[in-house]
């Protein structure tokens, strides 16, 4: 089932398009935002374009992925929130049809100008509900780099509970889970 958009009170979550890269580049170039994302390093505008294209490709393969989060009041692109299929042996992104154990992660990255306004919780709740209600997921995870208290707070507000520590690349992370 492919759904290309979700709505919340304040946000439109839509499938990504290549043009998103230009507006996302400042977010991905911000060391404070990227501190707890992936390897913890910033991305160049070209790397942001590649990241957006990978997300578009994931949508084409899986029928879902990270949504582009847009604030309704002014059409500001505030970040990316959605679902990531993870290979539990490596914690790398997995795609439909790949072999090996997988988990479905609710992921969220919001640009710094939009922090502290509840957008991550609002958008991640919509992604969680989509996964549970429309995709029929029985279990969801959130991988949170150790020390990212704001992200941990979002996960807990959404009903996720700490399960165990894991290695995410070279970084120490906590796995939070939500069982249906």
């Amino acid at each position: 089932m492919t759904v290309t958009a979700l709505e919340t009170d304040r946000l439109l979550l839509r499938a990504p398009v290549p043009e998103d890269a230009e507006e996302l580049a400042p977010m991905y170039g911000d060391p404070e935002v990227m501190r707890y994302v992936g390897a913890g390093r910033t991305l160049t505008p070209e790397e942001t374009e590649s990241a957006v294209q990978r997300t578009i490709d994931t949508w084409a393969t899986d029928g879902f992925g990270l949504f582009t989060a847009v604030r309704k009041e002014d059409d500001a692109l505030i970040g990316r929130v959605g679902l990531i299929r993870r290979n539990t042996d490596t914690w790398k992104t997995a795609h439909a049809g790949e072999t090996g154990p997988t988990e479905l992660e609710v992921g969220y990255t919001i640009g710094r100008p939009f922090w502290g306004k509840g957008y991550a919780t609002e958008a991640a709740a919509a992604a969680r509900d989509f996964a549970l209600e429309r995709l029929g997921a029985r279990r969801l995870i959130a991988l949170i780099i150790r020390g990212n208290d704001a992200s941990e707070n979002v996960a807990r507000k959404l009903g996720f509970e700490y399960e165990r520590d894991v290695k995410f690349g070279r970084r120490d992370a906590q796995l939070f889970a939500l069982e249906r």
Side-chain angles (χ1 to χ4, degrees), residues 46-69:
E46 294 77 20
E47 289 169 323
T48 300
E49 283 181 26
S50 294
V52 169
Q53 187 58 55
R54 282 192 304 276
T55 303
I56 292 168
D57 295 344
T58 296
W59 274 84
T61 303
D62 293 349
F64 63 85
L66 289 171
F67 292 92
T68 297

Side-chain angles (χ1 to χ4, degrees), residues 4-178:
T4 58
L6 302 173
E7 279 195 60
T8 69
D9 288 343
R10 300 179 296 164
L11 303 172
L12 172 67
L13 307 178
R14 61 163 174 75
V17 295
E19 296 76 22
D20 293 342
E22 187 176 340
E23 284 189 74
L24 287 169
M27 179 183 82
Y28 282 115
D30 184 334
E32 192 60 27
V33 171
M34 297 304 290
R35 185 169 142 195
Y36 296 115
V37 177
R41 68 174 188 81
T42 60
L43 301 183
T44 65
E46 294 77 20
E47 289 169 323
T48 300
E49 283 181 26
S50 294
V52 169
Q53 187 58 55
R54 282 192 304 276
T55 303
I56 292 168
D57 295 344
T58 296
W59 274 84
T61 303
D62 293 349
F64 63 85
L66 289 171
F67 292 92
T68 297
V70 179
R71 187 167 56 188
K72 289 180 187 178
E73 73 181 50
D74 59 3
D75 291 328
L77 197 156
I78 68 164
R80 301 196 322 159
V81 179
L83 304 172
I84 306 161
R85 192 184 308 270
R86 294 278 183 199
N87 176 312
T88 57
D89 289 336
T90 63
W91 297 115
K92 291 185 178 179
T93 302
H95 300 287
E98 289 184 19
T99 58
T102 61
E103 294 263 26
L104 194 56
E105 178 185 10
V106 175
Y108 34 92
T109 304
I110 301 293
R112 192 169 5 162
F114 309 102
W115 287 0
K117 296 172 175 49
Y119 293 131
T121 302
E122 184 175 330
R128 174 203 63 199
D129 295 348
F130 170 73
L132 295 172
E133 296 165 11
R134 292 186 154 160
L135 298 180
R138 309 295 299 153
R139 174 181 159 88
L140 298 171
I141 64 165
L143 288 172
I144 300 171
I145 302 299
R146 186 161 292 288
N148 189 349
D149 297 336
S151 187
E152 183 178 332
N153 289 339
V154 169
R156 289 186 187 281
K157 286 178 193 173
L158 297 177
F160 287 75
E161 295 180 358
Y162 170 80
E163 188 174 281
R164 68 183 190 271
D165 290 340
V166 297
K167 276 290 194 192
F168 186 71
R170 295 182 177 150
R171 306 181 81 188
D172 292 327
Q174 297 174 295
L175 186 143
F176 285 77
L178 174 69

